[in-house]
């Protein structure tokens, strides 16, 4: 049966195919973007082989070692115009971006090299990588191990042997010892001494509060002084333990020969891990890769956020979103219930709905400015005057922090919850309400036991949309609480355990900071992709949790809708 083009267009088939094509293209673009982010970010943690070669340019020859980070083709004519002597036979020349490390030796840990000038390329098994807490990676040949300044083992060759393997095993054992001591130091400095300092500050504020109240009795002050003396004694004991641990952790060091032949000595206390990627098999590299991924999601950052992990940013993001959800849901639901169930439907109500819809389109930075002015300076300042006068002039809540960031984002997303809840309430049949009232229930009972449970899936839809928007916001957070590096988490073992006045780290701001404020752009670039992928994963996890709750509620109250 032949169908004319006119009839085909009238049937609507072209529009169906166009819509299907647009959806397919959108899915491909989203999957492609996520794939690009995943490949660029996750490949950073794979232990790449270390390349060694002879680099000759302008009559100067030097040995170069490093990881090949990026390879690209450049117009040969462009390089010649830049003053590089190259033959014009090939239209393009290949260049490699090498991560040469050893920033304390070379001044920079990345360099570009041209394939035409690189010869004698090899991947010696003895070349090793040492990840350090400062100055980035060290690449070189292990030469000796020292204990208390005295050399205890040495190897001079460039080919592995039983003597060298014994030296390497000795190094790994001493690095592990240093890591164990470092954990003990961290426990004392960050937790035990941190708890003492926190309690000392509370005692100081309590003493100041008694002074402001003009209390002249000596008993409260004597009790505070007694407790302060006990804490000072505990602090002295911990300080002595720290001195002993620092003496132990600084005992061992190693020497390594870097590419220019210089011998570098490194304290093992500054080494996170050492490995020989050229001698590792796929299984060993896979285990190393898993360890690096776990470090990325579970450890604190180091090296200006370009190394280590991002756990504080993950924790801060999730905690802020959960707190924001707890704040925005009741306000949004109450506003929607009033507009739909109680308010007289007229011009004023329509005007309020228009205002709510317009609020959803206000730029987020405007909310940040409002949060800084109203929540932080006005509300927080008055709270400090009323409840924390002993802490002044240092602000307690009159400074950006977790509470104000959550409230600002709750204000930003409340229009979404209001609109979604109103839509859910409007879809509940009038007969359901009338049936409940006919059975003797009051309007409030009908609302609480019939209407709201049936509208709960729509409320969860609003919360899902609010989470999706709030979790990725950065601009307002820069004004109301987020920081580059937080000294501690907003949740810890010190009373009152949840510190809503503290500043926090956020994945979105971390991406901005690492990507645009980092002093080492090349080192930070892979972490931008990895953090972006993790932010997408966190938002997806939060949304899926909310969707699971919504589906459960939908199934639970399906019978009421029938």
């Amino acid at each position: 049966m032949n169908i004319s083009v006119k009839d085909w267009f009238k049937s609507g088939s072209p529009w169906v195919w166009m819509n299907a094509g647009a959806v397919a293209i959108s899915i491909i673009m989203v999957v492609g973007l996520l794939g690009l982010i995943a490949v660029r970010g996750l490949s950073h943690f794979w232990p790449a082989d270390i390349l060694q070669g002879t680099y000759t340019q302008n009559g100067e020859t030097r040995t170069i070692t490093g990881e090949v980070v990026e390879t690209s083709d450049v117009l040969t004519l462009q390089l010649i115009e830049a003053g590089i002597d190259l033959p014009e036979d090939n239209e393009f020349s290949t260049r490699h971006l090498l991560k040469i490390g050893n920033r304390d030796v070379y001044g920079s840990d990345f360099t570009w090299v041209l394939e035409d000038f690189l010869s004698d390329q090899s991947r010696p098994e003895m070349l090793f990588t040492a990840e350090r807490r400062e100055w980035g990676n060290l690449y070189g040949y292990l030469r000796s191990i020292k204990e208390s300044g005295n050399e205890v083992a040495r190897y001079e060759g460039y080919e592995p042997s039983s003597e060298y393997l014994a030296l390497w095993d000795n190094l790994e054992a001493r690095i592990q010892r240093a890591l164990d001591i470092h954990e003990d130091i961290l426990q004392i400095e960050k937790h035990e001494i941190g708890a003492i300092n926190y309690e000392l500050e509370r005692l100081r504020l309590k003493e100041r509060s008694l002074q402001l109240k003009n209390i002249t009795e000596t008993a409260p002050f004597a009790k505070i002084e007694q407790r302060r003396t006990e804490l000072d004694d505990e602090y002295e004991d911990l300080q002595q333990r720290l001195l002993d641990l620092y003496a132990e952790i600084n005992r061992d060091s190693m020497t390594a020969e870097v590419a220019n032949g210089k011998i570098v000595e490194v304290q093992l206390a500054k080494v996170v891990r050492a490995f020989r990627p050229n001698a590792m098999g796929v299984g060993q590299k896979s285990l190393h890769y898993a360890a690096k991924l776990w470090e990325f999601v579970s450890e604190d950052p180091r090296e200006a956020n370009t190394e280590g992990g991002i756990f504080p940013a993950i924790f801060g993001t999730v905690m802020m979103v959960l707190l924001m959800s707890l704040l925005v849901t009741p306000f949004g639901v109450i506003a929607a219930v009033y507009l739909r169930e109680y308010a007289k439907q007229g011009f004023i109500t329509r005007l309020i709905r228009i205002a709510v819809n317009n609020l959803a389109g206000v730029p987020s930075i405007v909310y940040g400015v409002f949060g800084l002015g109203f929540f932080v300076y006005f509300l927080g300042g008055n709270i400090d005057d009323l409840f924390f006068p002993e802490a002044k002039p240092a602000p307690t809540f009159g400074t950006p922090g977790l509470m104000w960031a959550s409230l600002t984002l709750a204000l930003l997303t409340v229009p979404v919850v209001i609109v979604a809840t109103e839509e859910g309430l409007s879809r509940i049949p009038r007969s359901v309400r009338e049936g409940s009232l006919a059975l003797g229930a009051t309007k409030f009972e009908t609302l609480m036991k019939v209407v709201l449970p049936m509208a709960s899936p729509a409320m969860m839809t609003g919360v899902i949309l609010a989470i999706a928007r709030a979790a990725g916001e950065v601009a307002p957070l820069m004004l109301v609480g987020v920081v580059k590096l937080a000294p501690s988490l907003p949740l810890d073992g010190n009373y009152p355990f949840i510190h809503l006045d503290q500043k926090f780290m956020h994945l979105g701001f971390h991406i901005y900071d690492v990507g645009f404020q980092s002093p080492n752009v090349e080192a930070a670039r892979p972490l931008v992709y990895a953090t972006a992928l993790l932010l997408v994963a966190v938002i997806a996890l939060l949304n899926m949790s909310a969707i699971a709750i919504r589906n459960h509620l939908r199934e639970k109250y399906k019978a009421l809708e029938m």
Side-chain angles (χ1 to χ4, degrees):
M1 180 178 179
N2 294 327
I3 301 177
S4 65
V5 175
K6 185 177 181 181
D7 292 336
W8 185 58
F9 271 94
K10 284 184 178 180
S11 68
S13 295
W15 317 119
V16 173
W17 282 102
M18 286 177 64
N19 287 332
V23 170
I25 292 172
S26 299
I27 292 174
I28 292 172
M29 291 175 66
V30 170
V31 172
L33 176 62
L34 292 177
L36 173 66
I37 294 174
V39 170
R40 291 289 186 91
L42 297 180
S43 61
H44 169 69
F45 304 105
W46 185 260
D49 289 346
I50 306 174
L51 174 70
Q52 177 176 292
T54 302
Y55 195 67
T56 304
Q57 185 179 5
N58 299 328
E60 181 183 348
T61 300
R62 58 191 173 100
T63 302
I64 192 167
T65 60
E67 301 177 16
V68 178
V69 176
E70 182 183 337
T71 300
S72 61
D73 291 331
V74 185
L75 282 171
T76 304
L77 184 59
Q78 182 178 349
L79 296 174
I80 294 173
E81 290 175 352
I84 299 176
D85 186 16
L86 283 170
E88 300 182 14
D89 300 339
N90 297 323
E91 184 180 359
F92 293 95
S93 295
T94 302
R95 65 174 183 173
H96 306 288
L97 177 63
L98 285 186
K99 184 178 182 179
I100 56 175
N102 307 333
R103 195 186 319 141
D104 49 339
V105 179
Y106 305 135
S108 174
D109 48 3
F110 285 88
T111 187
W112 285 98
V113 296
L114 290 170
E115 179 73 27
D116 296 316
F117 299 150
L118 191 61
S119 60
D120 300 329
Q121 298 183 35
S122 62
R123 289 171 172 79
E125 289 188 14
M126 276 185 54
L127 270 177
F128 81 104
T129 302
E131 293 182 16
R132 300 181 289 181
R133 302 187 191 279
E134 298 175 353
W135 300 108
N137 288 354
L138 170 74
Y139 300 107
Y141 293 93
L142 178 62
R143 288 302 175 221
S144 68
I145 296 175
K146 293 183 179 181
E147 182 177 318
S148 302
N150 300 317
E151 192 174 279
V152 296
R154 187 171 189 82
Y155 187 79
E156 292 291 348
Y158 292 93
E159 293 296 332
S161 64
S162 58
E163 183 183 353
Y164 173 77
L165 294 178
L167 177 68
W168 182 259
D169 291 340
N170 191 356
L171 174 68
E172 289 186 323
R174 290 173 184 267
I175 289 176
Q176 186 58 51
R177 171 187 173 277
L179 291 175
D180 294 339
I181 297 174
H182 181 267
E183 286 298 319
D184 294 338
I185 292 174
L186 191 64
Q187 174 66 25
I188 293 175
E189 289 183 338
K190 193 171 184 179
H191 300 286
E192 297 181 33
I193 289 182
I196 290 176
N197 288 334
Y198 186 80
E199 190 170 352
L200 284 172
E201 178 63 14
R202 286 178 59 83
L203 290 175
R204 186 190 70 82
L205 294 177
K206 187 176 181 180
E207 185 179 44
R208 176 62 179 160
S209 177
L210 293 174
Q211 292 172 351
L212 290 175
K213 293 175 183 177
N214 296 320
I215 294 177
T216 57
E217 298 178 14
T218 58
F221 291 98
K223 188 176 180 181
I224 291 173
E225 190 60 33
Q226 180 184 0
R227 181 55 183 159
R228 182 181 286 131
T229 302
E230 294 173 357
L231 291 173
D232 287 339
D233 292 339
E234 292 180 22
Y235 182 81
E236 290 297 327
D237 293 339
L238 291 175
Q239 281 290 96
Q240 186 57 50
R241 286 174 56 192
L242 274 179
L243 290 174
D244 296 339
L245 288 173
Y246 273 115
E248 290 183 32
I249 199 173
N250 291 323
R251 186 194 71 179
D252 298 333
S253 63
M254 68 174 179
T255 62
E257 180 186 341
V258 297
N260 62 2
K262 183 178 180 180
I263 300 297
V264 178
E265 183 172 353
V266 179
Q267 293 286 333
L268 296 190
K270 299 179 180 179
V271 177
V272 178
R273 63 171 58 85
F275 56 97
R276 296 178 296 137
N278 296 345
M280 296 168 66
V282 176
Q284 292 173 305
K285 288 190 175 185
S286 298
L287 291 175
H288 179 96
Y289 181 76
K292 287 285 291 181
L293 277 180
W294 176 246
E295 178 191 61
F296 181 66
V297 299
S298 64
E299 297 291 336
D300 292 347
R302 60 178 189 271
E303 281 281 340
N305 290 346
T306 60
E307 298 286 347
I310 56 170
F311 176 74
I314 299 172
F315 188 91
T317 302
V318 173
M319 190 169 180
M320 183 207 67
V321 169
L322 293 178
L323 188 59
M324 180 275 302
S325 302
L326 292 176
L327 292 170
V328 74
T329 303
F331 285 112
V333 170
I334 290 172
V337 167
Y338 176 78
L339 289 173
R340 178 59 58 177
E341 302 292 328
Y342 290 97
K344 183 178 180 181
Q345 303 302 311
F347 174 75
I348 300 297
T349 308
R350 288 196 300 272
L351 193 63
I352 292 173
R353 287 198 177 96
I354 292 172
V356 168
N357 289 327
N358 287 337
L359 280 175
V362 173
S364 59
I365 190 64
V366 176
Y367 286 98
V369 173
F370 175 82
L372 181 65
F374 179 74
F375 291 138
V376 177
Y377 293 150
F378 176 74
L379 195 57
N382 285 318
I383 289 175
D384 285 352
D385 291 338
L386 292 173
F387 300 105
F388 304 99
E390 66 277 5
K392 297 185 72 175
T396 302
F397 281 95
T399 184
L402 177 62
M403 175 184 284
W404 306 134
S406 301
L407 272 173
T408 301
L409 290 187
L411 187 65
L412 184 147
T413 55
V414 73
V416 178
V417 179
I418 293 174
V419 172
T421 304
E422 268 209 272
E423 288 296 324
L425 292 171
S426 66
R427 287 198 296 267
I428 298 174
R430 185 178 181 84
S431 58
V432 173
R433 295 179 173 84
E434 293 173 348
S436 175
L437 295 172
L439 291 173
T442 63
K443 185 173 183 179
F444 182 75
E445 290 173 334
T446 299
L447 179 67
M448 297 300 296
K449 297 183 178 180
V450 178
V451 176
L452 285 183
M454 292 179 65
S456 56
M459 298 178 199
M460 290 306 303
T461 299
V463 173
I464 292 167
L465 295 174
I467 290 173
R469 181 175 183 188
E473 286 290 350
V474 176
L477 297 181
M478 295 171 68
L479 300 176
V480 292
V482 75
V483 290
K484 173 186 178 75
L485 187 62
S488 60
L489 296 177
L491 178 66
D492 57 26
N494 298 320
Y495 180 84
F497 311 119
I498 299 178
H499 307 282
L500 300 180
D501 58 312
Q502 283 190 6
K503 295 177 175 60
F504 64 101
M505 295 180 67
H506 185 271
L507 285 171
F509 181 77
H510 189 82
I511 293 171
Y512 163 76
D513 176 68
V514 173
F516 299 99
Q517 303 295 314
S518 174
N520 195 345
V521 178
E522 295 295 344
R525 185 179 300 164
L527 292 183
V528 173
Y529 289 104
T531 308
L533 180 65
L534 191 58
L535 177 59
V536 172
V538 168
I539 295 175
L541 184 61
L542 291 170
N543 282 342
M544 285 190 291
S545 301
I547 289 170
I549 296 173
R550 182 188 66 182
N551 292 340
H552 172 73
L553 294 172
R554 185 173 290 165
E555 290 295 325
K556 183 177 180 179
Y557 298 109
K558 183 182 291 184
L560 294 176
E561 299 176 0
M562 297 178 63

